[in-house]
Coordinates of all heavy atoms in Angstrom, one line a residue:
M1 N 11.1 -20.7 48.8 CA 11.1 -21.3 50.1 C 11.6 -20.2 51.1 O 12.5 -19.5 50.9 CB 12.1 -22.4 50.2 CG 12.3 -23.0 51.5 SD 12.9 -24.6 51.7 CE 14.5 -24.5 51.3
S2 N 10.9 -20.1 52.1 CA 11.3 -19.1 53.1 C 12.4 -19.6 54.1 O 12.4 -20.7 54.5 CB 10.2 -18.7 54.1 OG 9.4 -17.6 53.4
N3 N 13.3 -18.7 54.4 CA 14.5 -19.0 55.3 C 14.6 -17.9 56.3 O 14.2 -16.8 56.2 CB 15.7 -19.2 54.5 CG 15.7 -20.2 53.4 OD1 15.8 -21.4 53.7 ND2 15.4 -19.9 52.2
T4 N 15.4 -18.3 57.3 CA 15.7 -17.2 58.3 C 17.2 -17.3 58.7 O 17.7 -18.5 58.7 CB 14.9 -17.5 59.7 OG1 13.5 -17.5 59.3 CG2 15.2 -16.5 60.7
T5 N 17.8 -16.1 58.8 CA 19.3 -16.1 59.2 C 19.4 -14.9 60.1 O 18.6 -14.1 60.3 CB 20.2 -16.0 58.0 OG1 21.4 -16.2 58.4 CG2 20.1 -14.7 57.3
F6 N 20.6 -15.0 60.8 CA 21.0 -13.8 61.7 C 22.1 -13.1 60.8 O 23.1 -13.7 60.3 CB 21.4 -14.1 63.0 CG 20.2 -14.6 63.8 CD1 19.8 -16.0 63.9 CD2 19.5 -13.7 64.6 CE1 18.7 -16.3 64.6 CE2 18.4 -14.1 65.3 CZ 18.0 -15.4 65.4
L7 N 22.2 -11.7 60.9 CA 23.1 -11.0 60.2 C 23.5 -9.8 61.0 O 22.6 -9.1 61.5 CB 22.5 -10.5 58.9 CG 23.4 -9.7 58.0 CD1 24.7 -10.4 57.5 CD2 22.7 -9.0 56.9
E8 N 24.8 -9.6 61.1 CA 25.3 -8.4 61.9 C 25.4 -7.4 60.8 O 26.2 -7.5 59.8 CB 26.6 -8.7 62.5 CG 27.0 -7.6 63.5 CD 28.2 -7.8 64.4 OE1 28.3 -9.0 64.7 OE2 28.9 -6.9 64.7
F9 N 24.7 -6.3 61.0 CA 24.7 -5.2 59.9 C 24.7 -3.9 60.7 O 23.8 -3.6 61.6 CB 23.5 -5.3 59.0 CG 23.4 -4.4 57.9 CD1 24.1 -4.8 56.7 CD2 22.8 -3.2 57.9 CE1 24.2 -3.9 55.6 CE2 22.7 -2.3 56.9 CZ 23.5 -2.6 55.7
N10 N 25.7 -3.2 60.4 CA 25.9 -1.7 61.1 C 25.8 -1.9 62.6 O 25.2 -1.2 63.3 CB 24.7 -0.7 60.7 CG 24.8 -0.3 59.2 OD1 25.9 -0.4 58.6 ND2 23.7 0.2 58.7
D11 N 26.6 -2.9 63.0 CA 26.8 -3.1 64.5 C 25.5 -3.6 65.1 O 25.4 -3.4 66.4 CB 27.5 -2.0 65.2 CG 28.9 -1.7 64.7 OD1 29.5 -2.6 64.4 OD2 29.2 -0.4 64.6
E12 N 24.5 -4.1 64.5 CA 23.3 -4.6 65.0 C 23.1 -6.1 64.6 O 23.3 -6.3 63.4 CB 22.1 -3.8 64.5 CG 22.2 -2.3 65.0 CD 21.0 -1.5 64.5 OE1 20.7 -1.7 63.2 OE2 20.6 -0.6 65.2
L13 N 22.6 -6.9 65.5 CA 22.3 -8.2 65.1 C 20.8 -8.3 64.7 O 19.9 -7.9 65.5 CB 22.5 -9.1 66.3 CG 22.3 -10.7 66.0 CD1 23.3 -11.2 64.9 CD2 22.5 -11.5 67.3
L14 N 20.7 -8.7 63.4 CA 19.3 -8.7 62.9 C 18.9 -10.1 62.6 O 19.6 -10.9 62.1 CB 19.2 -7.8 61.7 CG 19.7 -6.4 61.8 CD1 19.8 -5.8 60.4 CD2 18.8 -5.6 62.7
E15 N 17.5 -10.4 62.7 CA 17.0 -11.6 62.3 C 16.3 -11.4 61.0 O 15.3 -10.5 60.9 CB 16.1 -12.2 63.3 CG 15.3 -13.5 62.9 CD 14.3 -14.0 63.9 OE1 14.2 -13.3 65.0 OE2 13.7 -15.0 63.6
I16 N 16.7 -12.0 59.9 CA 16.1 -11.7 58.7 C 15.5 -13.0 58.0 O 16.0 -14.1 58.0 CB 17.3 -11.2 57.7 CG1 17.9 -10.0 58.3 CG2 16.8 -11.0 56.2 CD1 19.0 -9.4 57.5
E17 N 14.1 -12.8 57.6 CA 13.4 -13.8 57.0 C 13.6 -13.5 55.4 O 13.3 -12.3 55.1 CB 12.1 -13.8 57.4 CG 11.9 -14.3 58.8 CD 10.5 -14.3 59.3 OE1 9.5 -14.5 58.4 OE2 10.2 -14.2 60.5
F18 N 13.7 -14.4 54.7 CA 14.0 -14.2 53.2 C 13.5 -15.3 52.3 O 13.5 -16.5 52.8 CB 15.4 -13.8 52.9 CG 16.5 -14.9 53.2 CD1 16.9 -15.7 52.2 CD2 16.9 -15.0 54.5 CE1 17.7 -16.8 52.5 CE2 17.8 -16.1 54.8 CZ 18.2 -16.9 53.8
Y19 N 13.3 -15.1 51.0 CA 13.0 -16.0 50.1 C 14.2 -16.1 49.2 O 14.7 -15.2 48.7 CB 11.8 -15.7 49.2 CG 11.6 -16.6 48.1 CD1 10.8 -17.8 48.1 CD2 12.0 -16.3 46.8 CE1 10.6 -18.6 47.1 CE2 11.7 -17.1 45.7 CZ 11.1 -18.3 45.9 OH 10.9 -19.1 44.9
Y20 N 14.6 -17.4 49.0 CA 15.9 -17.7 48.1 C 15.6 -18.7 47.0 O 15.1 -19.7 47.4 CB 17.0 -18.1 49.1 CG 18.3 -18.7 48.3 CD1 19.0 -17.8 47.7 CD2 18.5 -20.0 48.5 CE1 20.1 -18.3 47.0 CE2 19.7 -20.5 47.9 CZ 20.4 -19.7 47.1 OH 21.6 -20.2 46.4
E21 N 16.0 -18.4 45.8 CA 16.0 -19.2 44.8 C 17.4 -19.3 44.3 O 18.0 -18.3 43.8 CB 14.9 -18.7 43.7 CG 14.6 -19.8 42.7 CD 13.5 -19.5 41.9 OE1 12.5 -19.0 42.3 OE2 13.6 -19.6 40.7
P22 N 18.1 -20.5 44.2 CA 19.4 -20.5 43.9 C 19.7 -20.3 42.3 O 18.8 -20.5 41.6 CB 19.9 -22.1 44.2 CG 18.6 -22.8 44.2 CD 17.5 -21.8 44.7
S23 N 20.9 -20.0 42.0 CA 21.3 -19.8 40.6 C 21.3 -21.2 39.9 O 21.5 -22.2 40.6 CB 22.7 -19.2 40.5 OG 22.7 -18.0 41.1
E24 N 21.2 -21.2 38.7 CA 21.3 -22.4 37.8 C 22.3 -22.1 36.7 O 22.2 -21.0 36.0 CB 19.9 -22.8 37.2 CG 18.9 -23.2 38.2 CD 17.5 -23.4 37.5 OE1 17.4 -23.3 36.3 OE2 16.6 -23.8 38.3
P25 N 23.3 -23.0 36.5 CA 24.3 -22.7 35.5 C 23.8 -22.7 34.1 O 22.8 -23.4 33.7 CB 25.4 -23.8 35.8 CG 24.5 -24.9 36.3 CD 23.4 -24.3 37.2
Q26 N 24.5 -22.1 33.3 CA 24.3 -22.0 31.8 C 24.6 -23.3 31.2 O 25.6 -24.0 31.6 CB 25.0 -20.9 31.1 CG 24.9 -20.9 29.7 CD 25.8 -19.8 28.9 OE1 26.7 -19.3 29.6 NE2 25.5 -19.6 27.8
V27 N 23.8 -23.8 30.3 CA 24.1 -25.0 29.4 C 24.2 -24.5 28.0 O 23.2 -24.2 27.5 CB 23.1 -26.1 29.6 CG1 23.4 -27.3 28.7 CG2 22.9 -26.5 31.1
P28 N 25.5 -24.4 27.4 CA 25.6 -23.9 26.2 C 24.9 -24.7 25.1 O 24.3 -24.1 24.1 CB 27.2 -23.9 25.9 CG 27.8 -24.2 27.1 CD 26.7 -24.8 28.0
Y29 N 24.8 -26.0 25.2 CA 24.1 -26.7 24.3 C 23.8 -28.1 24.9 O 24.4 -28.6 25.7 CB 24.8 -26.9 23.0 CG 26.1 -27.7 23.1 CD1 26.2 -29.0 23.0 CD2 27.4 -26.9 23.4 CE1 27.4 -29.7 23.2 CE2 28.4 -27.6 23.5 CZ 28.5 -29.0 23.5 OH 29.7 -29.7 23.7
Y30 N 22.6 -28.7 24.4 CA 22.3 -30.0 24.7 C 22.5 -30.8 23.4 O 22.8 -30.2 22.3 CB 20.7 -30.2 25.0 CG 20.4 -29.6 26.4 CD1 19.7 -28.4 26.5 CD2 20.8 -30.2 27.6 CE1 19.4 -27.9 27.7 CE2 20.4 -29.7 28.8 CZ 19.8 -28.5 28.9 OH 19.4 -28.0 30.1
K31 N 22.5 -32.1 23.5 CA 22.7 -33.0 22.3 C 21.8 -32.6 21.1 O 22.2 -32.8 19.9 CB 22.7 -34.5 22.6 CG 23.9 -34.8 23.4 CD 23.9 -36.3 23.8 CE 25.0 -36.6 24.6 NZ 25.1 -38.1 24.9
D32 N 20.5 -32.2 21.5 CA 19.6 -31.8 20.5 C 19.8 -30.5 19.8 O 19.1 -30.0 19.0 CB 18.2 -32.1 20.9 CG 17.8 -31.0 22.0 OD1 18.6 -30.2 22.3 OD2 16.7 -31.0 22.4
G33 N 20.8 -29.7 20.2 CA 21.1 -28.4 19.7 C 20.5 -27.3 20.4 O 20.9 -26.1 20.2
S34 N 19.7 -27.6 21.4 CA 19.2 -26.5 22.3 C 20.1 -26.2 23.3 O 21.1 -26.9 23.5 CB 17.8 -26.9 22.7 OG 17.9 -28.0 23.7
G35 N 19.8 -25.2 24.1 CA 20.6 -24.8 25.2 C 19.7 -24.2 26.3 O 18.5 -24.1 26.2
Y36 N 20.4 -23.7 27.4 CA 19.7 -23.1 28.5 C 20.6 -21.9 28.9 O 21.7 -22.0 29.3 CB 19.5 -24.1 29.7 CG 18.9 -23.4 30.9 CD1 17.5 -23.0 30.9 CD2 19.6 -23.3 32.0 CE1 17.0 -22.4 32.0 CE2 19.0 -22.8 33.2 CZ 17.7 -22.4 33.1 OH 17.1 -21.8 34.3
P37 N 20.0 -20.7 28.9 CA 20.8 -19.5 29.2 C 21.2 -19.4 30.7 O 22.1 -18.6 31.1 CB 19.9 -18.3 28.9 CG 18.6 -18.9 29.1 CD 18.7 -20.3 28.7
G38 N 20.7 -20.2 31.7 CA 21.1 -20.1 33.0 C 20.1 -19.1 33.8 O 19.3 -18.5 33.1
Y39 N 20.2 -19.1 35.1 CA 19.4 -18.2 35.9 C 20.2 -17.7 37.0 O 20.9 -18.5 37.7 CB 18.2 -19.0 36.4 CG 17.3 -18.3 37.4 CD1 16.6 -17.2 37.0 CD2 17.2 -18.6 38.7 CE1 15.7 -16.5 37.9 CE2 16.5 -17.9 39.6 CZ 15.8 -16.9 39.1 OH 14.9 -16.2 40.0
G40 N 20.4 -16.4 37.2 CA 21.1 -15.8 38.2 C 20.7 -16.0 39.6 O 21.4 -15.6 40.5
G41 N 19.5 -16.6 39.9 CA 18.9 -16.7 41.2 C 18.5 -15.4 41.8 O 18.5 -14.4 41.1
C42 N 17.8 -15.5 42.9 CA 17.3 -14.3 43.5 C 17.1 -14.4 45.0 O 17.0 -15.6 45.6 CB 15.9 -13.9 42.9 SG 14.6 -14.9 43.3
L43 N 17.0 -13.4 45.7 CA 16.8 -13.4 47.1 C 16.0 -12.2 47.5 O 16.5 -11.0 47.1 CB 18.1 -13.4 48.0 CG 18.0 -13.5 49.4 CD1 19.1 -14.5 50.0 CD2 18.0 -12.2 50.1
D44 N 14.9 -12.3 48.1 CA 14.0 -11.3 48.6 C 13.9 -11.2 50.1 O 13.5 -12.3 50.6 CB 12.7 -11.3 47.9 CG 12.7 -11.1 46.4 OD1 13.4 -10.2 45.9 OD2 12.0 -11.9 45.7
I45 N 14.2 -10.2 50.7 CA 14.0 -10.0 52.1 C 12.6 -9.7 52.4 O 12.0 -8.8 51.9 CB 14.9 -8.9 52.7 CG1 16.4 -9.4 52.5 CG2 14.5 -8.6 54.1 CD1 17.4 -8.5 53.2
E46 N 11.9 -10.6 53.3 CA 10.6 -10.4 53.6 C 10.4 -9.7 55.0 O 9.4 -9.1 55.2 CB 9.9 -11.8 53.7 CG 10.0 -12.5 52.4 CD 9.5 -13.9 52.4 OE1 9.5 -14.6 53.5 OE2 9.2 -14.5 51.3
S47 N 11.3 -9.9 55.9 CA 11.2 -9.4 57.3 C 12.5 -9.1 57.8 O 13.5 -9.9 57.6 CB 10.4 -10.3 58.1 OG 10.3 -10.0 59.5
I48 N 12.6 -8.0 58.6 CA 13.9 -7.7 59.4 C 13.4 -7.4 60.9 O 12.5 -6.6 61.1 CB 14.6 -6.5 58.9 CG1 15.0 -6.8 57.4 CG2 15.9 -6.2 59.6 CD1 15.7 -5.6 56.7
K49 N 13.9 -8.2 61.8 CA 13.7 -8.0 63.1 C 14.9 -7.7 64.0 O 15.9 -8.3 63.7 CB 13.0 -9.3 63.7 CG 11.6 -9.5 63.1 CD 11.0 -10.7 63.7 CE 9.6 -11.0 63.0 NZ 9.0 -12.3 63.4
K50 N 14.7 -6.8 65.0 CA 15.8 -6.4 65.8 C 15.2 -6.7 67.2 O 14.2 -6.1 67.6 CB 16.2 -5.0 65.7 CG 17.3 -4.5 66.6 CD 18.0 -3.2 66.2 CE 17.0 -2.3 65.8 NZ 17.5 -0.8 65.4
N51 N 15.8 -7.5 68.0 CA 15.3 -7.9 69.4 C 13.9 -8.4 69.3 O 13.0 -8.0 70.1 CB 15.4 -6.7 70.3 CG 16.8 -6.3 70.5 OD1 17.7 -7.1 70.6 ND2 17.0 -5.0 70.6
G52 N 13.5 -9.1 68.2 CA 12.1 -9.7 68.0 C 11.1 -8.7 67.5 O 9.9 -9.1 67.4
V53 N 11.5 -7.5 67.2 CA 10.5 -6.4 66.8 C 10.9 -6.1 65.2 O 11.9 -5.8 65.0 CB 10.7 -5.2 67.6 CG1 9.7 -4.1 67.1 CG2 10.5 -5.5 69.1
E54 N 9.7 -6.2 64.4 CA 9.8 -5.9 63.0 C 10.4 -4.5 62.9 O 9.8 -3.5 63.5 CB 8.5 -6.0 62.4 CG 8.5 -5.7 60.9 CD 9.4 -6.7 60.1 OE1 9.3 -7.9 60.3 OE2 10.1 -6.1 59.3
C55 N 11.4 -4.3 62.0 CA 12.0 -3.0 61.8 C 12.5 -2.8 60.4 O 13.3 -1.9 60.2 CB 13.2 -2.9 62.8 SG 14.5 -4.0 62.5
I56 N 11.8 -3.4 59.5 CA 12.2 -3.3 58.0 C 12.1 -1.8 57.6 O 12.8 -1.3 56.7 CB 11.5 -4.3 57.1 CG1 12.1 -4.4 55.7 CG2 10.0 -3.8 57.0 CD1 11.7 -5.5 54.8
K57 N 11.1 -1.2 58.2 CA 10.9 0.3 57.7 C 12.0 1.2 58.2 O 12.1 2.4 57.8 CB 9.6 0.8 58.2 CG 8.4 0.0 57.6 CD 7.0 0.6 58.0 CE 6.0 -0.2 57.2 NZ 4.6 0.3 57.6
D58 N 12.8 0.8 59.1 CA 14.0 1.5 59.7 C 15.2 1.6 58.6 O 16.1 2.3 58.9 CB 14.5 1.0 60.9 CG 13.4 1.1 62.1 OD1 12.5 2.0 61.9 OD2 13.5 0.5 63.1
Y59 N 15.1 0.8 57.5 CA 16.2 0.7 56.7 C 15.8 1.3 55.3 O 14.7 1.0 54.9 CB 16.7 -0.8 56.6 CG 17.2 -1.2 57.8 CD1 16.4 -1.8 58.8 CD2 18.6 -0.9 58.2 CE1 16.9 -2.3 60.1 CE2 18.9 -1.4 59.5 CZ 18.2 -2.0 60.4 OH 18.7 -2.4 61.6
T60 N 16.8 1.8 54.6 CA 16.5 2.4 53.3 C 16.6 1.2 52.3 O 17.0 0.1 52.7 CB 17.7 3.3 52.9 OG1 19.0 2.6 52.7 CG2 17.8 4.5 53.8
E61 N 16.1 1.4 51.1 CA 16.0 0.4 50.1 C 17.5 0.0 49.8 O 17.8 -1.3 49.6 CB 15.4 1.0 48.9 CG 15.2 -0.1 47.8 CD 14.5 0.4 46.5 OE1 13.5 1.3 46.8 OE2 14.7 0.0 45.4
K62 N 18.5 0.9 49.8 CA 19.9 0.5 49.5 C 20.4 -0.3 50.6 O 21.1 -1.4 50.3 CB 20.7 1.8 49.4 CG 22.2 1.6 49.3 CD 22.6 1.0 48.0 CE 24.1 1.1 47.8 NZ 24.7 -0.2 47.8
E63 N 20.0 -0.1 51.9 CA 20.6 -1.0 53.0 C 20.0 -2.3 52.8 O 20.7 -3.4 53.1 CB 20.2 -0.4 54.3 CG 21.0 0.9 54.7 CD 20.6 1.6 55.9 OE1 19.3 1.7 56.1 OE2 21.4 2.0 56.6
I64 N 18.7 -2.5 52.5 CA 18.1 -3.8 52.3 C 18.7 -4.5 51.2 O 18.9 -5.8 51.2 CB 16.5 -3.6 52.2 CG1 15.9 -3.0 53.5 CG2 15.9 -4.9 51.8 CD1 14.6 -2.6 53.3
E65 N 19.0 -3.8 50.1 CA 19.7 -4.4 49.0 C 21.1 -5.0 49.4 O 21.5 -6.1 48.9 CB 19.9 -3.4 47.7 CG 18.6 -3.2 47.1 CD 18.7 -2.0 46.0 OE1 19.9 -1.7 45.6 OE2 17.7 -1.6 45.5
D66 N 21.9 -4.1 50.2 CA 23.1 -4.6 50.6 C 23.0 -5.8 51.5 O 23.8 -6.8 51.4 CB 23.8 -3.5 51.4 CG 24.3 -2.3 50.6 OD1 24.3 -2.4 49.3 OD2 24.5 -1.2 51.2
M67 N 22.0 -5.9 52.4 CA 21.7 -7.1 53.2 C 21.5 -8.3 52.4 O 22.1 -9.4 52.5 CB 20.6 -6.8 54.2 CG 20.8 -5.9 55.3 SD 19.4 -5.7 56.3 CE 19.4 -4.1 56.8
A68 N 20.6 -8.1 51.4 CA 20.3 -9.2 50.4 C 21.5 -9.7 49.7 O 21.7 -11.0 49.5 CB 19.1 -8.8 49.5
D69 N 22.4 -8.9 49.2 CA 23.6 -9.2 48.6 C 24.5 -10.1 49.4 O 25.0 -11.1 49.0 CB 24.4 -8.0 48.1 CG 23.8 -7.3 46.9 OD1 22.9 -7.8 46.2 OD2 24.1 -6.1 46.7
I70 N 24.6 -9.7 50.7 CA 25.5 -10.4 51.7 C 24.9 -11.9 51.9 O 25.5 -12.8 51.8 CB 25.5 -9.6 53.0 CG1 26.4 -8.4 52.8 CG2 26.1 -10.5 54.1 CD1 26.2 -7.4 54.0
I71 N 23.5 -11.9 52.1 CA 22.9 -13.2 52.4 C 22.9 -14.1 51.1 O 23.2 -15.3 51.2 CB 21.5 -13.0 52.9 CG1 21.5 -12.2 54.3 CG2 20.8 -14.3 53.1 CD1 20.2 -11.7 54.7
F72 N 22.6 -13.5 49.9 CA 22.7 -14.3 48.6 C 24.0 -14.9 48.5 O 24.1 -16.1 48.0 CB 22.3 -13.3 47.4 CG 22.2 -14.0 46.2 CD1 21.2 -14.9 45.9 CD2 23.2 -14.0 45.3 CE1 21.1 -15.5 44.7 CE2 23.2 -14.6 44.1 CZ 22.0 -15.5 43.8
K73 N 25.2 -14.1 48.7 CA 26.5 -14.7 48.6 C 26.7 -15.8 49.5 O 27.3 -16.8 49.2 CB 27.5 -13.6 48.7 CG 27.6 -12.7 47.6 CD 28.6 -11.5 47.8 CE 28.5 -10.5 46.7 NZ 29.2 -9.2 47.0
Q74 N 26.2 -15.7 50.7 CA 26.4 -16.8 51.7 C 25.6 -18.0 51.3 O 26.1 -19.2 51.4 CB 25.9 -16.4 53.1 CG 26.7 -15.3 53.8 CD 26.1 -14.8 55.0 OE1 24.8 -15.0 55.3 NE2 26.9 -14.0 55.9
C75 N 24.4 -17.8 50.8 CA 23.6 -18.9 50.3 C 24.3 -19.7 49.1 O 24.2 -20.9 49.0 CB 22.3 -18.5 49.9 SG 21.2 -18.0 51.3
E76 N 24.8 -18.9 48.2 CA 25.4 -19.4 47.0 C 26.7 -20.2 47.3 O 27.1 -21.1 46.5 CB 25.7 -18.4 46.0 CG 24.4 -17.8 45.4 CD 23.8 -18.6 44.3 OE1 24.4 -18.8 43.2 OE2 22.7 -19.1 44.6
N77 N 27.3 -19.8 48.3 CA 28.7 -20.5 48.7 C 28.4 -21.7 49.6 O 29.4 -22.4 50.0 CB 29.5 -19.5 49.5 CG 30.1 -18.5 48.5 OD1 30.2 -18.8 47.3 ND2 30.3 -17.3 48.9
K78 N 27.3 -22.1 50.0 CA 26.9 -23.3 50.7 C 27.1 -24.6 49.9 O 26.7 -24.6 48.8 CB 25.6 -23.3 51.4 CG 25.6 -22.3 52.5 CD 24.3 -22.3 53.3 CE 24.4 -21.3 54.5 NZ 23.2 -21.4 55.3

């Protein structure tokens, strides 16, 4: 599901569109003996806009990963 948020990053206010899939907890076992290892969730940034203008190419892969980590933590804490 696509979402949009605003993030202040490096003293700039950015509008970020992203895809988020929440984490699922581990289930060590069910009554039938099976289990589920859990899922760590994911967040992929699709678009970064500054003042309404697409600017994702202005950021390094590391910066985009840092933004994704910040947003993922915010989503997981809701």
Side-chain angles (χ1 to χ4, degrees):
M1 172 161 79
S2 272
N3 300 281
T4 301
T5 191
F6 289 91
L7 177 68
E8 189 169 330
F9 188 80
N10 292 341
D11 297 324
E12 298 176 318
L13 184 61
L14 305 172
E15 180 181 357
I16 300 178
E17 292 180 26
F18 61 95
Y19 173 81
Y20 167 68
E21 194 169 315
S23 299
E24 295 176 357
Q26 175 185 13
V27 177
Y29 61 89
Y30 291 107
K31 290 182 181 182
D32 68 358
S34 65
Y36 176 67
Y39 175 69
C42 72
L43 188 140
D44 294 317
I45 292 180
E46 299 170 340
S47 171
I48 300 173
K49 293 180 183 174
K50 182 172 37 177
N51 298 322
V53 177
E54 179 62 47
C55 62
I56 196 166
K57 292 181 180 183
D58 294 344
Y59 296 93
T60 65
E61 188 173 323
K62 173 72 170 110
E63 289 173 319
I64 294 170
E65 287 175 12
D66 290 345
M67 290 179 211
D69 287 344
I70 292 167
I71 297 167
F72 184 77
K73 288 175 186 171
Q74 291 173 349
C75 289
E76 290 285 290
N77 289 327
K78 286 185 179 181

